[in-house]
Amino acid sequence: MTETRLPNLELWPIGNCQVSGLIDQSGALVWGCVPRVDGDPVFSSLLNGEQRDAGIWRFELEGQVSAKQEYIRNTPNLVTTLEAKDGSAVEILDFCPRYERSGRMYRPVAYSRIVRPISGNPRIRVILNPVKDYGAQVAETTHGTNHIRYLVGPQALRLSTDAPVGYIVEGRTFRIEDDTHFFLGPDEPFVGNVRNEVRGMEQRTRKYWQSWVRGLHIPFEWQEEVIRCAITLKLCQHEETGAIVAALTTSIPEAAHSERNWDYRYCWIRDSYYTIQALNRLGALDVMEKYLGYLRNIVDGARGGQIQPLYSVMGESELDETTASYLAGYRGMGPVRRGNAAYKQIQHDCYGQIVLPSVQSFFDKRLLRPADDHDFENLEQVGKMAWAMHDQPDAGLWEFRTREEVHTYSAVMSWAACDRLANVADHLGKADRAAIWRERANSIREKIEAEAWKDDGKGGGHYGASFESDYLDASLLQMVELRFVAPDNERFQQTFAAVEEHLRRGDHMLRYAAEDDFGAPETAFNVCTFWLIEALHLAGRDDEARTLFNTMLSHTTGSGLLSEDLDYETGELWGNFPQTYSLVGVINCAGLLSKLWSDVR
């Protein structure tokens, strides 16, 4: 019997841009939603508390004493090796099929697993218990000679296998003497020989990913780290629409018993600027172009240019928040949330966040579908909202649920929206529109300088996180990245010093230190630490930036990834996983800090 351990974030993502899964340290599939990332978690053991035999798919090796894991190079195909006390061992190969077939990408709602005996006389037991309705009940089953049907909702999943079906149904341990193949996918007859077909799927999937990685532009240093983050960022994309979700999970708390449990399986507009920046650095045009198309759809559908903070991967705007009462939560720390009420919030930074990445489409000659005059007209509607709302209260970047202020970051993003629209207008030869947008940008700049600056009465001061108060938040570090100020700007230098003094905790950075709706923050927010690294680099403090970056990389999981948050005292990861913000942070910082290829050849 395998050792029972508390759930943790030592998880290994697999996926195919239609479905995804998380494999734990024992090789068990503990999280996976169907038919897409925001669907029903048929594998939900990660959030089942102590009831971990429901919502799981694992292979129990009799007498197991150890497990080790690694990805096949430059793929998300995972190999887990289980070893027993008597020296018997098996290898589990996990993947979700993805490759071109019949002129289109084959990416079924399916999980494939191959179990190989590699030494001794291993005996295994297959525990396959998907659930439905967010853990409300274990799926009912029917079975035939070579398959088992799991009724997980309106549609069923079918397991096709060359393992003894009776042993699986009855939960019996059996000796495994040859490679055994499992394909859990659509409820339809499996065409062809399971052994040959699943092996062929794995080989073609492996070739697809390794070929995709070959086309990336990566820095000389930290190549493996960047490649792993790039693959995982692609796994966070729902390819059908191009949307990229904030994380693959819901309700992993930001800190123990904090109830800061949120559903991150949606597309946050606030992520888009940073994500496009990372995809640009990687040269991942396929992912970037699909994402830009998703953003264009959002802009086209915006009523009067109004943009909300997040949308579903299908572009759905209403994401009502409920709790899944049948799931106890990560380590029993509920609630488990489905949906996210933040979609109702007023967050004025969204206008800049969608304008900035969309501008790429007007200048990038590589794109199959460049933006045109009609796209500019639509984007101007968003810009008009940025102009109208730049000095109005909102919930801010950090989504405060009980208070509103005029947040400096939102105002700076509104400035950036107007500034970039002026650049596009110039590019399109629309001098009159360029003049209007530049005038608006200048007006917003004057407002920020007048209202956000907090004079200390001694000839110094700092920008505040909002116009109304003088507290600080880490988003102020983005004023350089957004080109609002230069790195050597005196006001920014004073703000940078104040942010470091008040928000830095050793090698990590808080979002803010002031109490919010849930009390004082207890963990560092990983993307803010990456923002600190970027700011250090832009300020010419490269040695510090490199040291801090390597420290952050030392906190990654065995899979080479990061979640949203980190306990700055213990180093434990918290928050949803894998976090797109954190993936982007690794990619962008590596690009900034790495030696050039020309310097080392």
Side-chain angles (χ1 to χ4, degrees):
M1 184 70 69
T2 54
E3 176 189 356
T4 300
R5 68 176 83 194
L6 283 174
N8 58 56
L9 295 186
E10 281 295 335
L11 301 167
W12 300 71
I14 60 172
N16 61 7
C17 305
Q18 174 64 42
V19 291
S20 55
L22 297 177
I23 309 293
D24 76 1
Q25 289 169 288
S26 70
L29 177 57
V30 296
W31 184 258
C33 303
V34 298
R36 59 179 189 248
V37 64
D38 60 354
D40 193 1
V42 297
F43 296 107
S44 58
S45 176
L46 182 66
L47 301 184
N48 274 2
E50 296 180 1
Q51 301 298 319
R52 301 203 65 212
D53 274 350
I56 198 166
W57 186 3
R58 70 171 180 264
F59 300 99
E60 291 185 352
L61 174 64
E62 194 173 73
Q64 181 183 326
V65 293
S66 68
K68 62 180 182 179
Q69 293 168 293
E70 63 178 352
Y71 283 116
I72 293 174
R73 180 175 176 269
N74 292 355
T75 78
N77 296 10
L78 175 66
V79 177
T80 302
T81 304
L82 308 180
E83 187 171 349
K85 186 175 182 180
D86 65 2
S88 299
V90 297
E91 186 179 87
I92 305 166
L93 175 53
D94 282 299
F95 69 100
C96 294
R98 179 180 172 82
Y99 48 88
E100 190 169 321
R101 188 178 78 172
S102 302
R104 59 186 177 84
M105 192 60 63
Y106 177 63
R107 42 176 173 80
V109 179
Y111 301 92
S112 298
R113 315 191 78 176
I114 302 172
V115 183
R116 294 171 172 154
I118 55 175
S119 66
N121 301 299
R123 292 173 58 82
I124 66 168
R125 185 162 73 111
V126 182
I127 308 298
L128 177 49
N129 293 322
V131 295
K132 62 181 181 179
D133 298 332
Y134 280 76
Q137 56 184 309
V138 174
E140 298 173 354
T141 65
T142 61
H143 63 276
T145 307
N146 300 111
H147 75 271
I148 306 172
R149 294 176 70 247
Y150 296 89
L151 307 178
V152 294
Q155 296 180 334
L157 291 176
R158 177 185 292 235
L159 176 71
S160 300
T161 181
D162 51 13
V165 167
Y167 287 159
I168 300 172
V169 172
E170 297 180 16
R172 295 184 180 276
T173 300
F174 61 96
R175 182 163 164 166
I176 179 168
E177 297 183 335
D178 197 2
D179 291 5
T180 307
H181 305 79
F182 302 82
F183 181 86
L184 182 67
D187 184 24
E188 55 193 37
F190 191 90
V191 178
N193 178 276
V194 173
R195 178 188 183 93
N196 293 340
E197 291 300 321
V198 173
R199 283 187 171 190
M201 287 178 183
E202 194 280 324
Q203 291 168 3
R204 289 188 288 272
T205 299
R206 183 187 308 197
K207 182 179 180 180
Y208 166 82
W209 285 105
Q210 291 177 340
S211 297
W212 182 77
V213 167
R214 286 184 65 222
L216 297 179
H217 175 76
I218 59 172
F220 174 75
E221 296 181 271
W222 304 294
Q223 292 182 43
E224 291 184 2
E225 292 87 347
V226 169
I227 287 170
R228 182 53 50 198
C229 287
I231 289 172
T232 309
L233 182 58
K234 185 173 173 68
L235 292 182
C236 289
Q237 181 170 62
H238 183 65
E239 189 169 61
E240 182 180 4
T241 63
I244 296 177
V245 297
L248 299 178
T249 59
T250 177
S251 304
I252 309 295
E254 295 178 13
H257 304 287
S258 65
E259 296 193 16
R260 298 175 188 263
N261 301 10
W262 313 116
D263 192 347
Y264 274 14
R265 299 171 299 158
Y266 304 110
C267 185
W268 261 261
I269 298 305
R270 71 175 181 219
D271 296 357
S272 55
Y273 167 65
Y274 304 102
T275 302
I276 289 294
Q277 187 182 54
L279 293 171
N280 235 336
R281 281 199 167 101
L282 292 169
L285 281 179
D286 58 333
V287 181
M288 184 175 76
E289 190 153 25
K290 285 182 178 295
Y291 190 34
L292 288 171
Y294 174 83
L295 296 178
R296 274 197 298 272
N297 267 323
I298 297 298
V299 171
D300 285 353
R303 297 183 299 275
Q306 292 185 8
I307 301 295
Q308 67 185 47
L310 66 151
Y311 299 83
S312 81
V313 296
M314 302 303 293
E316 183 183 0
S317 59
E318 294 187 10
L319 305 170
D320 292 335
E321 186 176 298
T322 59
T323 57
S325 60
Y326 294 99
L327 295 175
Y330 181 74
R331 299 184 185 173
M333 300 175 190
V336 173
R337 302 186 200 272
R338 175 186 182 182
N340 198 305
Y343 84 89
K344 298 178 180 178
Q345 288 190 348
I346 304 299
Q347 295 179 26
H348 297 321
D349 65 295
C350 292
Y351 303 112
Q353 296 278 21
I354 205 165
V355 168
L356 267 62
S358 297
V359 164
Q360 176 91 17
S361 299
F362 294 92
F363 294 93
D364 196 333
K365 301 298 184 183
R366 301 168 297 176
L367 300 180
L368 294 172
R369 199 279 190 192
D372 55 22
D373 286 356
H374 177 71
D375 294 312
F376 179 65
E377 291 172 8
N378 285 343
L379 207 56
E380 279 195 300
Q381 298 306 308
V382 177
K384 288 175 182 177
M385 287 297 296
W387 165 242
M389 297 297 165
H390 74 272
D391 59 354
Q392 298 301 304
D394 70 352
L397 172 70
W398 308 122
E399 298 179 350
F400 297 122
R401 293 197 168 199
T402 60
R403 69 174 190 263
E404 290 188 349
E405 295 177 315
V406 181
H407 289 93
T408 302
Y409 181 80
S410 296
V412 171
M413 268 294 178
S414 295
W415 167 84
C418 297
D419 177 74
R420 304 312 193 267
L421 283 169
N423 293 344
V424 173
D426 275 335
H427 177 70
L428 296 176
K430 300 177 184 293
D432 56 335
R433 302 307 301 164
I436 289 171
W437 287 114
R438 198 150 281 122
E439 181 182 352
R440 289 172 176 174
N442 290 337
S443 178
I444 296 174
R445 174 183 288 280
E446 291 174 3
K447 187 78 170 182
I448 293 170
E449 294 290 3
E451 301 292 336
W453 181 254
K454 312 302 175 184
D455 198 312
D456 64 5
K458 303 175 184 177
H462 62 77
Y463 291 109
S466 75
F467 287 9
E468 295 90 339
S469 23
D470 63 358
Y471 77 95
L472 295 150
D473 81 22
S475 68
L476 295 168
L477 297 178
Q478 288 293 288
M479 298 177 85
V480 171
E481 169 60 39
L482 294 171
R483 305 204 299 266
F484 183 79
V485 294
D488 59 356
N489 177 276
E490 185 176 348
R491 282 190 166 189
F492 176 74
Q493 287 294 322
Q494 293 181 56
T495 302
F496 188 4
V499 167
E500 277 202 273
E501 179 183 354
H502 292 279
L503 301 184
R504 187 168 175 174
R505 300 293 184 271
D507 294 326
H508 306 284
M509 181 69 73
L510 302 180
R511 286 175 289 185
Y512 45 83
E515 287 196 3
D516 61 14
D517 316 333
F518 293 84
E522 302 171 61
T523 52
F525 201 66
N526 288 329
V527 74
C528 294
T529 304
F530 288 119
W531 288 351
L532 171 62
I533 293 167
E534 291 176 355
L536 289 169
H537 164 74
L538 293 170
R541 296 160 62 183
D542 267 10
D543 288 344
E544 292 177 71
R546 290 175 64 88
T547 298
L548 204 56
F549 184 52
N550 284 319
T551 297
M552 282 299 293
L553 294 178
S554 74
H555 290 290
T556 58
T557 60
S559 57
L561 306 171
L562 289 165
S563 62
E564 179 186 38
D565 306 277
L566 185 146
D567 186 317
Y568 52 84
E569 293 183 348
T570 68
E572 184 174 9
L573 293 175
W574 290 89
N576 284 303
F577 178 89
Q579 177 79 2
T580 292
Y581 253 160
S582 298
L583 300 173
V584 165
V586 172
I587 294 165
N588 285 335
C589 285
L592 285 174
L593 299 175
S594 174
K595 298 174 183 176
L596 300 176
W597 285 89
S598 58
D599 292 338
V600 294
R601 285 202 297 261

